[in-house]
Amino acid sequence: MIKVNLTGCNSFVKEAEYKNYLGKALEAYDVLSSEKGAGNDFLGWKTLPVDVDEDIISGCEAVRDDWKARGVDLVIVVGIGGSYLGARCAIEALSHSFVHPAGVPKVVFAGNNLSEDYLAELMDLAAQSNTACVVISKSGTTTEPAVAFRIVKEHIEKTYGKQEASARIVAVTDAARGALKTLSTQEGYRTFVVPDNVGGRFSVLTPVGLLPICLAGFDIRAMLKGAADEREALLQRGEDNAAVQYAAMRNLLHSEYGKAVEILVTYSPKLVYLAEWWKQLYGESEGKDGKGIFPASVTNTADLHSMGQFIQEGSRVMFESVIKVEKATREVVIGSDEQNLDCLNYLAGQRVEHCNAMAQLGVRVAHIDGGVPQIELGIEKIDEFWLGAIFYFFEFACGVSAYVLGVNPFNQPGVEAYKKNMFALLRKPGYEAQTEEILKRI
Ligand code: PA5
């Protein structure tokens, strides 16, 4: 399963220090396993890979088949944060980068911003498409998705009529509470439940992620299998547990060596949203009480030509965690050229993936020489199974790591601060008292 390689940290840390942090990580592992730590009412994600009801999986497949029968060619998935990033990560990683397959709806996202231009352009696409919508909000009250959904819902109702609209809108929300639940009941939408004991950023293996991923044509059963196999591996307590090792090393680098920034490094544009999902997972779980490692990301080799200079020679505050994909799914071989004006004949007959692998090795040595420790996290390939495995690995390691750091991984109190100000400025009823006060400060 996920392979952790820590040799890129050997020249930075002492063996005894690592052993000490392994001990701390094992204590944190026990807290997570015993379910007695902070936030222990949000641990439903731990058993999702083996708990997910067959009804949920077949329910996702039924929506997919029903919308296919209705000729739907565009699915707008409305959601933000944990109700968005997991699905986007999987769909971006698994989709063909350029060609959209026939017979599968295009899945696009809304409700993750308040950009008017974005929404206007999305509605241009909806106007030319046969459209359906999945609206995802655990609370059912988040402003960004609520605004987007109001606009998408109006379009679907106007275009297909109210009755047909109720078959073209599916909600993923709380089982009993919230405005979205009330609306769904009233309008007769099909609904899927976000379990009470699973927080947004840990919800990719609930219908929050599974439904959009299934609608985009991917195999959610294989994804759950990958997560289940990774869970099985992580159930083995010990110093060779991959999550324990990752948690131990990142906390050691942070606490003893001042490495306050972790850069998740990928070598495929397909994994840009894996990094976005990871940043939310670690940022919201650890960044509190004045603590935490700042999660950043780069996509190489593109970012070697933008961020590479800083990583090589700038402030020495970071370490890298590199997602190492063992094999590409497709093969492209570099040809020979008689004139060789580009002087690339030395690569003739080589696969492009060989160049990518040599770039990774070259960067590894250069960055270590430049003072940047490197953790490697290995997966075999980019497919549903391995994405399931990496989702579960990062979630589990996040729980262990946050407990080593001494914070509650499962709350996000800081997310509320901007909302209060925004509501006051938008003059939401109930926030009148704060409006004048805020206006004076801006
Ligand atoms: O991880 C989290 O809890 C957050 O990122 C939420 O997922 C995000 O704020 C969206 O919340 P909701 O699903 O309630 O609309």
Side-chain angles (χ1 to χ4, degrees):
M1 297 310 298
I2 307 298
K3 287 190 197 127
V4 178
N5 175 6
L6 300 176
T7 54
C9 301
N10 284 352
S11 54
F12 297 90
V13 304
K14 297 184 188 78
E15 180 64 25
E17 288 172 327
Y18 176 57
K19 278 264 172 209
N20 179 26
Y21 272 81
L22 268 181
K24 290 177 196 271
L26 281 168
E27 276 171 34
Y29 178 97
D30 291 338
V31 173
L32 187 63
S33 304
S34 65
E35 310 202 345
K36 292 193 174 132
N40 62 6
D41 42 350
F42 282 98
L43 292 175
W45 58 271
K46 279 175 60 190
T47 49
L48 280 175
V50 287
D51 267 3
V52 172
D53 214 315
E54 174 56 31
D55 285 357
I56 292 177
I57 302 173
S58 50
C60 293
E61 292 165 345
V63 175
R64 179 195 63 196
D65 296 345
D66 175 45
W67 285 357
K68 190 171 181 185
R70 288 171 202 272
V72 167
D73 58 13
L74 177 71
V75 176
I76 301 175
V77 177
V78 176
I80 195 166
S83 291
Y84 154 61
L85 285 164
R88 182 143 198 188
C89 160
I91 292 169
E92 297 270 340
L94 297 169
S95 295
H96 192 291
S97 304
F98 305 102
V99 180
H100 190 75
V104 177
K106 193 175 168 55
V107 174
V108 297
F109 295 88
N112 55 70
N113 61 70
L114 286 170
S115 161
E116 190 163 345
D117 289 343
Y118 183 95
L119 261 176
E121 289 173 11
L122 176 64
M123 297 326 291
D124 290 344
L125 177 65
Q128 314 165 2
S129 307
N130 188 336
T131 307
C133 171
V134 178
V135 53
I136 309 174
S137 177
K138 187 178 182 195
S139 62
T141 56
T142 308
T143 308
E144 291 91 334
V147 167
F149 181 56
R150 188 179 271 220
I151 290 156
V152 173
K153 174 175 176 280
E154 189 185 332
H155 166 79
I156 292 180
E157 286 177 351
K158 273 196 184 145
T159 311
Y160 307 101
K162 220 155 156 55
Q163 197 182 339
E164 174 68 8
S166 68
R168 285 171 177 257
I169 295 173
V170 171
V172 184
T173 189
D174 187 85
R177 289 180 301 267
L180 184 55
K181 176 65 191 169
T182 310
L183 180 75
S184 303
T185 309
Q186 189 183 300
E187 303 284 333
Y189 300 155
R190 275 170 286 189
T191 55
F192 290 82
V193 171
V194 191
D196 270 347
N197 60 355
V198 180
R201 58 191 174 276
F202 289 83
S203 68
V204 60
L205 298 175
T206 72
V208 169
L210 296 177
L211 178 59
I213 295 166
C214 176
L215 293 173
F218 301 112
D219 183 352
I220 52 177
R221 293 173 192 271
M223 185 168 283
L224 287 164
K225 171 83 174 96
D229 284 8
E230 185 61 29
R231 173 177 176 270
E232 202 54 45
L234 297 179
L235 281 175
Q236 311 310 313
R237 185 190 189 278
E239 292 189 350
D240 55 353
N241 181 293
V244 168
Q245 293 183 338
Y246 175 55
M249 186 54 84
R250 62 195 295 283
N251 275 288
L252 166 57
L253 291 168
H254 174 229
S255 301
E256 307 298 332
Y257 292 90
K259 302 293 186 187
V261 177
E262 176 174 8
I263 306 175
L264 193 81
V265 184
T266 60
Y267 279 83
S268 166
K270 286 176 176 290
L271 297 180
V272 168
Y273 273 88
L274 173 66
E276 295 306 311
W277 171 83
W278 171 86
K279 284 194 276 192
Q280 188 207 354
L281 181 64
Y282 281 76
E284 272 191 359
S285 300
E286 294 191 322
K288 53 196 69 156
D289 307 338
K291 298 182 185 175
I293 302 171
F294 184 82
S297 65
V298 293
T299 309
N300 289 345
T301 61
D303 288 340
L304 292 168
H305 299 260
S306 56
M307 297 303 291
Q309 168 63 36
F310 193 109
I311 298 172
Q312 189 68 47
E313 294 182 346
S315 321
R316 302 296 72 195
V317 292
M318 76 283 278
F319 65 97
E320 293 182 313
S321 293
V322 182
I323 303 291
K324 192 170 175 209
V325 183
E326 266 168 44
K327 52 181 181 216
T329 316
R330 304 282 299 275
E331 196 174 310
V332 178
V333 176
I334 300 167
S336 169
D337 185 276
E338 212 170 287
Q339 289 198 323
N340 194 29
L341 291 177
D342 55 9
C343 304
L344 277 184
N345 273 355
Y346 75 100
L347 290 176
Q350 298 282 6
R351 289 181 59 181
V352 173
E353 200 49 29
H354 171 71
C355 302
N356 206 15
M358 292 309 106
Q360 289 178 45
L361 283 178
V363 170
R364 176 178 163 88
V365 174
H367 286 186
I368 291 171
D369 286 351
V372 181
Q374 199 173 89
I375 298 172
E376 260 178 14
L377 303 168
I379 61 171
E380 199 179 299
K381 55 184 171 180
I382 302 174
D383 67 4
E384 287 94 334
F385 178 91
W386 283 99
L387 279 173
I390 203 145
F391 283 145
Y392 195 86
F393 169 80
F394 274 135
E395 288 175 0
F396 194 92
C398 183
V400 175
S401 202
Y403 283 151
V404 173
L405 189 68
V407 297
N408 175 355
F410 306 113
N411 65 3
Q412 55 285 328
V415 178
E416 296 310 310
Y418 95 91
K419 290 186 190 169
K420 288 185 203 130
N421 296 345
M422 179 177 75
F423 291 150
L425 290 165
L426 287 171
R427 299 180 190 272
K428 184 175 178 173
Y431 289 81
E432 296 81 358
Q434 288 102 305
T435 308
E436 289 313 312
E437 197 193 314
I438 291 174
L439 281 173
K440 272 189 234 144
R441 296 179 51 200
I442 53 179

